[in-house]
Amino acid sequence: MSLTDTNNPDRQEWLSYQTGNLVVQLGEGWSEADQLPSRERSYKEKLSKCSEGDVVAFKGEGVRGDRPLQLATLLDWVRLAEAEGLVVDFDGLSPQAVSLMRLALAAPKKEKEVESDQDVFERIGRLFMARQGEKRQVYEFTGELMRSLVRLVMGKARFRGRDFWMCLEDCGVKALPIVALISTMVGVILGFVGGTQLQAFGSTIYMVDLVGVAVAWELGCLMTGVIMSGRTGAAFAAQLGSMKVNQEIDALDTLGLSTMEYLVVPRALALILMMPLLTLFADFFGCLGGFIVALQFDISPVEYWVELTGTLDLRGILRGIIKSFFFGIIVAGTGCYYGMFSGRSSSAVGTAATKAVVSGISWVIVCDAMFAFVFQVVGF
Amino acid sequence: MSKQEQEKKLHIEVQDLTMAYGSFVLMKDLNFKVYEGDVFIIMGASGCGKSTMMRHLIGLNEPAKGDILYRGESFVKASASGREQMVRRCGVMYQSGALWSSMTLAENVILPLKQFASYSDREAESIARYKLSLVGLSGFEDFYPSEISGGMAKRAGVARALALDPEVLFLDEPSAGLDPLSARRLDEMILELSSNLKMTTVVVTHELESIFLIGNNSIFLDVNTRTLGATGNPKHLRDHCENPMIRNFLRRGELNAIGD
């Protein structure tokens, strides 16, 4: 009698149960996709009829070592039977299948750790505590950074001068082209917007004031802050994050070197020093962009110069410079913070860089808004 | 070479291979053969180019000269799609597992299954469970690589390498950095897998215990002459190799033969 009926899986000849013994006969084609689900159903049905201590015997030549799906399904079935407290016997299979199954079952299955039931209040509490921990981290980082900067001023901080110069080059000279390009374009855009609108009143000359004031007061430093956050803040986070993954930060720690002084201070210092300079350049290039457009509106270079210097005094430029100094602190701080507290995997480094850019840009803009308010109040 | 080995079918053949980084020649004139079912060891001192050798075999590095043949078919001269086909028949475990950190262990195994084989989600999950069981990681399906130990990451790397039922399994330093018991278990697992799954296994290692336990054929890359030092069964090389330096290497320097 053929027990391996491949044509009709519903005829359950391949499964036979006799007092305490379930025999599963696996012939060719038992694992075909169209048969497997119904077979699995009948198998589970039979299993539920067995009582604890019964033997489930797998037999037949239908399980081949080079067919992973068959072995995988068989393994699932064996585990099902074991979960029911049944004894499994698969010696009736081909020798290769037997040894592979032995190998797969050799190590005990790790049981899922049951998580303790958390009610809503506990969850809220935990979430809150986690948030508090994060806040604490921020305070600690800020405090440590301040302490290191004070030590630096007192000449006690230790870091490699070379690192500092390299950071300086990276935040300064290498960032200049992109800052120049973007601020020129911003100047051009402002010039066009102002020029076309003011043309209606026959006072195109005032576009010079618009470009000059907008660039020097706001957009020069703001665009520089945004560019540097995307460019350098992200780079800081990624560098420090991958140093963490490589245990380079641990190596500094165990040498007793302050990671704050060695890694964060040179980066922060370089960026804070370079931001005002870059802003000055951004102002210049913004006005240059405005100048290019001014020519289109028949404003002569001399007119442009006279109008620009008439409306823009040192105080206006200083507004941007003062803000850029703080933007430097924000960008360097967020970049280094998320880098230093990054997780230890490649995806965590990506997350750190993203967070650094997002919070860097957000805080730069928030800070800018606050300064607009403060300058208004103090009448600067 | 024993008679038995000659009867086995040739799987990988390396002809006149020169490996170089730019103008710096790492190894030259390499000739050796790997037979089907072999556990083939690539050994040599640190920095001699063992891992680079493996990278050449799986197409991550281009040979400066020479050819690599899989079952008589040139790998170097093959077209891009032909190469892809050949590489897909190889499973590779990298030194520290190289698991994708944003995916769970099961997802790491499922990715190649879903990309290159036509399994349904359920089937792929089932196969992933099976492959992880084979390396003793059942129950760890939903763990992320960052949540498991280094030894487990290596085993999970093997499970991923096995996902597509490769004909050749490449293992880069499988037992390096593991405690002796874990290293031994991993070696035994490699032996079990290679005999049960009927694969050819190529292992890069310099762990002597592993070499003698699992290897039945090997090459020794000589860092001084920059070419093949010797080839054959590692135990045989230890006892009968003509080059005293290699005998010394395989005896952990206990035979002070270099001065002789």
Side-chain angles (χ1 to χ4, degrees):
Chain A
M1 183 185 72
S2 163
L3 290 174
T4 57
D5 190 340
T6 54
N7 299 325
N8 189 352
D10 294 330
R11 279 169 60 194
Q12 295 188 2
E13 287 169 1
W14 61 286
L15 277 171
S16 58
Y17 182 76
Q18 283 171 340
T19 52
N21 211 344
L22 176 66
V23 178
V24 186
Q25 189 77 34
L26 301 170
E28 282 291 328
W30 67 279
S31 64
E32 293 300 322
D34 55 332
Q35 298 196 10
L36 203 53
S38 72
R39 290 209 175 215
E40 190 155 299
R41 266 198 305 280
S42 1
Y43 172 72
K44 280 182 185 162
E45 235 167 67
K46 283 275 183 202
L47 269 193
S48 62
K49 284 177 194 149
C50 294
S51 50
E52 217 176 304
D54 284 0
V55 177
V56 183
F58 291 95
K59 291 197 164 121
E61 296 292 316
V63 185
R64 289 184 15 210
D66 56 352
R67 299 285 293 275
L69 187 56
Q70 295 184 336
L71 285 153
T73 312
L74 185 62
L75 184 69
D76 285 345
W77 287 13
V78 168
R79 294 238 192 256
L80 277 176
E82 280 179 344
E84 297 275 332
L86 307 176
V87 180
V88 180
D89 163 32
F90 43 75
D91 289 340
L93 299 170
S94 66
Q96 195 193 1
V98 170
S99 47
L100 279 170
M101 287 308 285
R102 288 236 169 87
L103 190 60
L105 290 163
K109 187 177 165 84
K110 184 184 165 64
E111 296 304 326
K112 280 232 166 71
E113 281 160 25
V114 188
E115 277 182 35
S116 62
D117 283 343
Q118 293 180 351
D119 59 14
V120 181
F121 294 110
E122 192 178 341
R123 277 194 201 160
I124 294 172
R126 278 179 193 279
L127 207 67
F128 183 72
M129 295 295 280
R131 271 294 152 87
Q132 288 303 105
E134 231 168 80
K135 261 190 203 156
R136 211 188 130 95
Q137 236 175 30
V138 176
Y139 297 146
E140 272 177 10
F141 178 83
T142 317
E144 184 83 4
L145 182 60
M146 289 303 152
R147 207 174 65 108
S148 305
L149 287 175
V150 169
R151 279 171 61 89
L152 179 81
V153 172
M154 290 164 65
K156 279 190 195 159
R158 283 182 301 181
F159 60 80
R160 273 160 39 101
R162 252 191 76 149
D163 284 354
F164 175 63
W165 287 110
M166 271 165 68
C167 291
L168 219 49
E169 189 193 352
D170 192 52
C171 308
V173 182
K174 287 190 178 166
L176 192 57
I178 182 76
V179 169
L181 176 73
I182 302 277
S183 30
T184 310
M185 291 302 126
V186 167
V188 166
I189 293 164
L190 278 176
F192 264 116
V193 172
T196 46
Q197 293 300 309
L198 291 168
Q199 215 164 22
F201 305 101
S203 51
T204 36
I205 186 69
Y206 291 114
M207 69 157 279
V208 183
D209 300 56
L210 180 86
V211 171
V213 169
V215 166
W217 287 19
E218 294 295 337
L219 288 172
C221 59
L222 193 64
M223 290 317 290
T224 312
V226 169
I227 294 165
M228 293 311 277
S229 184
R231 191 186 171 279
T232 309
F236 286 175
Q239 281 168 1
L240 296 178
S242 39
M243 286 181 81
K244 182 138 192 179
V245 174
N246 278 339
Q247 298 187 311
E248 291 171 50
I249 288 181
D250 295 347
L252 280 173
D253 269 339
T254 45
L255 266 180
L257 293 169
S258 157
T259 47
M260 197 55 91
E261 284 175 18
Y262 243 79
L263 300 174
V264 178
V265 166
R267 287 180 170 77
L269 199 63
L271 191 61
I272 293 168
L273 287 178
M274 282 297 126
M275 278 292 278
L277 281 179
L278 284 173
T279 302
L280 213 55
F281 272 107
D283 290 351
F284 171 75
F285 282 106
C287 292
L288 187 72
F291 173 69
I292 295 166
V293 181
L295 293 176
Q296 303 292 312
F297 287 98
D298 293 330
I299 297 169
S300 75
V302 178
E303 278 176 305
Y304 190 85
W305 178 252
V306 170
E307 188 67 29
L308 191 67
T309 47
T311 188
L312 207 58
D313 52 2
L314 187 65
R315 211 180 55 173
I317 295 172
L318 263 182
R319 276 178 86 129
I321 302 291
I322 292 170
K323 284 195 285 190
S324 73
F325 178 74
F326 286 90
F327 293 173
I329 298 177
I330 290 172
V331 171
T334 48
C336 293
Y337 171 77
Y338 285 110
M340 293 292 282
F341 292 99
S342 144
R344 292 181 182 275
S345 67
S346 51
S347 57
V349 175
T351 315
T354 311
K355 278 185 176 168
V357 175
V358 170
S359 67
I361 292 178
S362 314
W363 280 111
V364 161
I365 289 170
V366 169
C367 180
D368 191 47
M370 277 170 15
F371 266 111
F373 188 70
V374 170
F375 284 150
Q376 184 71 33
V377 169
V378 300
F380 185 73
Chain B
M1 199 176 296
S2 71
K3 211 173 173 189
Q4 202 185 1
E5 272 172 357
Q6 281 172 343
E7 282 164 10
K8 283 201 262 179
K9 268 204 237 156
L10 193 61
H11 200 156
I12 309 170
E13 188 177 2
V14 171
Q15 295 174 342
D16 290 325
L17 182 72
T18 297
M19 307 192 287
Y21 283 113
S23 60
F24 173 70
V25 175
L26 198 60
M27 280 279 152
K28 57 180 193 286
D29 307 329
L30 299 175
N31 283 290
F32 60 87
K33 289 168 179 163
V34 181
Y35 294 90
E36 261 176 36
D38 268 3
V39 177
F40 189 88
I41 311 269
I42 300 173
M43 57 187 171
S46 298
C48 71
K50 299 188 294 290
S51 293
T52 312
M53 178 77 243
M54 191 186 96
R55 290 175 67 86
H56 277 82
L57 290 177
I58 53 182
L60 288 175
N61 286 16
E62 269 323 290
K65 206 186 108 211
D67 203 356
I68 298 162
L69 301 140
Y70 277 88
R71 297 192 196 284
E73 217 178 310
S74 170
F75 180 67
V76 179
K77 291 173 197 136
S79 64
S81 63
R83 261 177 168 223
E84 226 168 83
Q85 290 285 324
M86 288 158 105
V87 168
R88 211 166 294 155
R89 276 179 252 142
C90 301
V92 187
M93 188 216 74
Y94 297 92
Q95 244 177 64
S96 50
L99 298 167
W100 297 303
S101 58
S102 58
M103 299 183 211
T104 63
L105 299 193
E107 285 167 347
N108 263 283
V109 183
I110 287 171
L111 181 77
L113 282 173
K114 292 291 286 181
Q115 290 296 312
F116 300 114
S118 53
Y119 292 115
S120 70
D121 286 354
R122 250 196 83 211
E123 288 168 342
E125 276 165 33
S126 174
I127 291 175
R129 274 201 298 278
Y130 160 63
K131 301 279 176 183
L132 285 167
S133 297
L134 280 183
V135 297
L137 284 177
S138 62
F140 287 95
E141 289 85 2
D142 296 328
F143 280 61
Y144 281 92
S146 55
E147 297 170 329
I148 58 174
S149 71
M152 284 155 86
K154 284 195 180 200
R155 281 186 281 153
V158 176
R160 187 180 65 187
L162 291 174
L164 293 171
D165 299 287
E167 292 171 4
V168 195
L169 179 65
F170 289 95
L171 303 163
D172 194 0
E173 310 254 358
S175 44
L178 298 184
D179 68 84
L181 284 178
S182 305
R184 168 126 200 160
R185 265 203 294 275
L186 192 67
D187 285 344
E188 278 165 0
M189 186 192 90
I190 292 166
L191 272 183
E192 289 270 349
L193 289 173
S194 77
S195 66
N196 284 318
L197 296 172
K198 311 216 178 335
M199 301 180 291
T200 308
T201 313
V202 177
V203 187
V204 170
T205 186
H206 48 213
E207 304 272 321
L208 291 180
E209 282 172 42
S210 290
I211 291 173
F212 297 127
L213 182 68
I214 63 179
N216 64 355
N217 199 356
S218 68
I219 53 166
F220 184 93
L221 300 179
D222 190 335
V223 72
N224 298 321
T225 59
R226 303 214 162 278
T227 187
L228 202 69
T231 173
N233 187 312
K235 281 183 200 143
H236 183 83
L237 289 183
R238 175 187 59 191
D239 301 329
H240 306 290
C241 182
E242 286 163 14
N243 187 338
M245 203 269 287
I246 295 169
R247 288 208 308 274
N248 199 32
F249 179 94
L250 290 171
R251 289 178 185 183
R252 209 183 286 276
E254 277 155 24
L255 170 84
N256 196 10
I258 293 178
D260 291 359

